[in-house]
Amino acid sequence: MKYKELIQQMTLEEKASFMSGKDFWQTMDLERLGIPSMFLSDGPHGIRKQAEAADHLGLNESIPATCFPTAATVANSWNQELGELIGDYLGKEAVAQKVNVLLGPGINMKRNPLCGRNFEYFSEDPYLAGKLAAAYIRGIQSHGISACVKHFAVNNQEARRMSIDTIVDERTLREIYLTAFEIAVKEGKTKTVMSSYNMLNGAYTNENQHLMRVILRDEWGYEGVVVTDWGGSNDRVAGLVAGNELEMPTTAGETNLEIVNAVSSGKIQEKVLDEAVDRLLDLVFTTEQVFNNPLRDKDFDVNKHHRVAQKVAEESIVLLKNEANILPLQKNNNLAVIGQFAKEARYQGAGSSIVNPTRLDNTLECLEESGLTCIGYEPGFERYGKKNNQKINDACTLAKQADVVLLYMGLDEATEAEGLDRASMHIPQNQIDLLNALSEVNDNIVVVLSCGAAVEMPWIDKVKGLVHGYLAGQAGSRAMLRVLSGDVNPSGKLAETYPLRYEDTPSSHNFPGKEVSVEYREGMYIGYRYFDTAAVNVLFPFGYGLSYTTFAYSNIQVDLDKVTFDVTNTGDVAGMEVAQLYVGSASSDIFRPKKELKGFAKVFIHPGETKTVTIAFDDKTFRYFNVNTNKWEVEAADYNILIGASSADIRLETTLAVEGTGAPAPYDQAKLPSYYTGKASNVSVEEFESLLGHKVPKSTWDRSKPLGYNDTIAQCAYAKGGFARFAFKLITFAHWFLRKIGKRETANLIMMSVYHMPFRGMARMTGGIINMPMLDGILMIVNGHFFKGLGHVLKERKKMLKQAKGLSKAEAKG
Ligand code: BGC
């Protein structure tokens, strides 16, 4: 232990006090021994340091910071250097604002397009997500502070995120849901990991020995700190035993006491606590050093950082359709700019990642400098409203006079939010109504889309051009105009598949888990792994994106550790191409997707120029996780080495014979037909159980049982107590009513912070206002013992206040 001597000087109570926050964002300090507290702040695409009122829901303002494009956006750049650059700038701002731990990047897989937080995550592919995450982390941590990769792991739905049990087989877990974290830990060397809210195969991730001890610590050699997601601790002592150093936010000492009792009673060894304190102190001291440096920058250059945000956005924008080369726009084209998003940019998502931007570009203000000729603007629709015929008519009148209509549309902030999933993949109908009307009066429509995740586009035939900016941050509008005008040649490629219809998504039959659990029956077949293997048509494949130039691929050469090929720019303008390496096995002994991403390179090429690209193989190129040997193995086989401009556009192909590690195939093929064919969209429970190796737990609530700590407020719907059922009705009515009167964001808050909250959250998230004994009383009320419960609550509250009074008197004396 690095801080053995210091730890020896602490009392048991002092040691335990470090195991949870001092308040909402800070850790405990100990002046007596010179231990400072450290500050943790969201979030992945900008600093959200709250100087005053604190919350994790995106409610109260934070200190202004640069709002960079969100991870879903930056993933489209496929550029690790760019990821490192954002990390570097995030790190600079974190240092200026005295933030020790920056709570990002978020790297959960996009199992399903409707997950409400997809805008905060990189990709449906673990390799791409892992590499970008590692780049962010390197950039952030180059400043001496810590990144915090989150949410570890299998947190792929927002509904019931604090209680849902994710049922997933070990191989899928390793290959799909953990690989990005593995890369972030091993290559990014993240100093902090945030455990997720949910359960994994029956145990909360934060307490899950297999995940936290066996995989994270023993296999990956992780020596950093694990922090709970806010309010996500269930059994504090079990969490500590699994290696969770820090519980956030504060529980006013209640859970620290649980640790003290566990040590005093011999339930756990003091050594476990000491080791956790040691790792936490290391994080505190090493990150705090940065702030002790008298030369530390206390400010940052707002304009320079804004320009970096713009550069990042420019490289992340994806050109999806360009019929008759309608783009780039000609400078003398008369443009009608239509769509409310042109006036008020949609640039980030809602929830804990909300950044208070230092500046905010909007299209209308940036038009002049773009050199484009705009003949007018019409909003055409209301962001949160219904169809508005007057607005549509005004937009059509303008569109009739224009050469080209630039239509700004997408999803709104209330639709893509933390804590809830999207209800569908549609964009709002009032925007589609507008598009339909515009297409009657003008053939040249270019849609500029802003959404943080995949959407359906049944309207795509009505537009000639389609550019997707995702959630491009505070400088996104200017970046988009530079792409539209041709000042920047687009080079983004989609980091997720766009299915034709939501129903085509393999997990759509099992998303979201509505009661106890969610079964990942599609196994490893998420995103392109499914569409490609099962030969299901998509709207836009993974890795797809157009450019204003064209690229030709030639000369593939492969050897045991790398593949080399040439890319030539065959068009008239300079551009960047993302060349993608996919690998598939020719053997069918062990099922796997037809091909999987194993490397990529982004290259800048002048017109007529040819560049030779080399992509090195690594430990992930041929491996698979063998559930019998419980190890990564390589199957002896001929492998297809494929170089593509997208997952569906393979330009070069060769094979390579690879020696295996000799492990026998772990599966009984006859029992796993869907996984062997890849048609895994509607797997039966029996087949899923064969893959899992055991029965699935009951996925529905046992309505006969009394409600407990980990049941959610939503379950009051069937509570024994009439009062609880009434409260439930009130909550659902309030939600319905708020939506009805257009207050969707407030309605969302009810879902996030009340409806899906487990009862234990009342004690974990109220900073000591409600403690666990009081919660016992509340549960008595919920379960039908109103007066007994009320009496208990009042008695425990009195006790708590008395204790607190005694404590403050003692403090005043001492
Ligand atoms: C989110 C985390 C976030 C934390 C603190 C939680 O609700 O899931 O991503 O870092 O709040 O705001």
Side-chain angles (χ1 to χ4, degrees), residues 566-628:
D566 291 340
V567 185
T568 305
N569 182 341
T570 49
D572 302 330
V573 285
M576 282 188 273
E577 172 68 333
V578 178
Q580 301 153 39
L581 162 67
Y582 294 90
V583 174
S585 165
S587 153
S588 55
D589 287 354
I590 293 161
F591 69 80
R592 52 172 107 203
K594 193 168 159 202
K595 59 177 180 285
E596 296 179 273
L597 184 78
K598 298 293 176 177
F600 53 93
K602 191 162 192 177
V603 272
F604 175 84
I605 316 179
H606 288 289
E609 189 193 4
T610 296
K611 276 206 173 141
T612 300
V613 179
T614 299
I615 301 180
F617 298 153
D618 59 25
D619 61 322
K620 301 183 185 62
T621 312
F622 304 107
R623 75 178 191 178
Y624 75 99
F625 192 81
N626 186 307
V627 288
N628 282 356

Side-chain angles (χ1 to χ4, degrees), residues 198 275 383 550 614 623 671 681:
N198 51 285
E275 282 169 1
R383 207 176 188 103
T550 46
T614 299
R623 75 178 191 178
K671 288 193 177 149
S681 65

